[in-house]
Amino acid sequence: MGTIQQALRMSAPYWAAEHEIALRYFGSSARSTVSDKVWIGHQMFKEWTGSGVYGPRHTTVASMIAEVAKEVAPLGQGAVAPSPLKSTYTKLSFASDELRHYAQLHDLFLLIESATPPPAIAELGNLREGGALTELRLGYRDDKLGAIAVDLSEGGGLGLYFGIRSAKDLLDLTSEVDREVLAVADRTIEDETRHLLGRFQAARDAGLDEEQWGRVSEILEEISRQKLLERDEQFGGMLTAGEVAAVCASENRPRTAAFLTGHLSFLLDYLGMSPVDL
């Protein structure tokens, strides 16, 4: 048995752990130009390819824009759109958001070290746990409940970017790189908070019963755990294996509650949840 609120409770501990990874990384002596290029490069890859969240395998921002161009090109000759025109615009809007996120990360990558251009997109995505996350999501996408869980898993509750914002006092704001890291986080939060709420609204509108929500929650927890493994690899292993295994342990509940109430209060309000529900 389950509810949409239960789905949030199942995934939120992993989101809070992503927030913890960012805090540790930006306060760590292990942070370097090389490690910054690893995490930013992998984030570029995720924005460009969708990491299994949208489209068929091998979909990219470029392929989505090409699809839109193919759909709208005949309209100038008086043709009728091959699909509802609103769906074409929605696809373009989504691709535009992903391209904007990719572009700001690309420019940040070059700001760190302009002498070496970014390698091919595929090379930026060479993280074992990231590949496993993509395959896990793709394996669930053809199932209705799995697709809902995959959609809800996108962005990891913005744990990374809220973590960067929380690490502001650990950044060197006299550095152009660190100022831009913070600016990227702020711009992404501005975009993705709207998307996060929209994903939960769409899931609620799916009309699932308690048993179906129970299954969605189970899948979402599985994906969220793999996403945390990806995030930990992306940042060089800020969490121990024991800490990853204990993410949902009772001693970490205050961390989860603090993350939700401190950063996602708008989502709690929408779901009618309060701190005592966490």
Side-chain angles (χ1 to χ4, degrees), residues 121-234:
I121 293 289
E123 294 180 38
L124 294 174
N126 278 337
L127 293 186
R128 185 187 64 181
E129 301 295 357
L133 174 64
T134 297
E135 293 304 316
L136 183 62
R137 282 169 162 164
L138 287 171
Y140 279 120
R141 286 267 307 279
D142 291 336
D143 172 75
K144 174 186 175 181
L145 301 182
I148 290 172
V150 168
D151 194 44
L152 292 176
S153 76
E154 205 275 332
L158 286 169
L160 167 61
Y161 291 110
F162 280 123
I164 294 173
R165 180 180 280 179
S166 296
K168 179 178 180 179
D169 291 343
L170 302 173
L171 299 176
D172 176 8
L173 296 183
T174 65
S175 157
E176 188 178 5
V177 169
D178 278 13
R179 289 198 304 273
E180 185 58 20
V181 166
L182 185 60
V184 166
D186 286 340
R187 289 194 294 266
T188 304
I189 288 169
E190 183 177 350
D191 281 349
E192 292 296 331
T193 48
R194 182 180 70 256
H195 293 173
L196 177 62
L197 183 58
R199 286 190 289 273
F200 272 84
Q201 288 173 334
R204 174 173 265 178
D205 290 344
L208 305 186
D209 60 29
E210 288 189 6
E211 183 175 353
Q212 289 173 316
W213 268 118
R215 181 58 181 151
V216 168
S217 298
E218 290 173 356
I219 298 171
L220 182 57
E221 181 176 27
E222 181 184 3
I223 295 173
S224 296
R225 184 181 187 281
Q226 183 57 47
K227 191 172 184 304
L228 177 61
L229 292 174
E230 175 201 44
R231 192 69 84 199
D232 200 38
E233 182 181 16
Q234 183 180 0

Side-chain angles (χ1 to χ4, degrees), residues 19 31 42 54 59 66 70 72 100 112 123 126 139 154 170 192 196-197 210 216 222 251 253-254 266:
H19 181 274
R31 184 191 175 197
H42 187 65
Y54 58 77
T59 295
K70 185 176 180 180
V72 301
R100 182 169 65 256
I112 290 171
E123 294 180 38
N126 278 337
E154 205 275 332
L170 302 173
E192 292 296 331
L196 177 62
L197 183 58
E210 288 189 6
V216 168
E222 181 184 3
E251 60 265 29
R253 286 178 188 161
F266 66 93

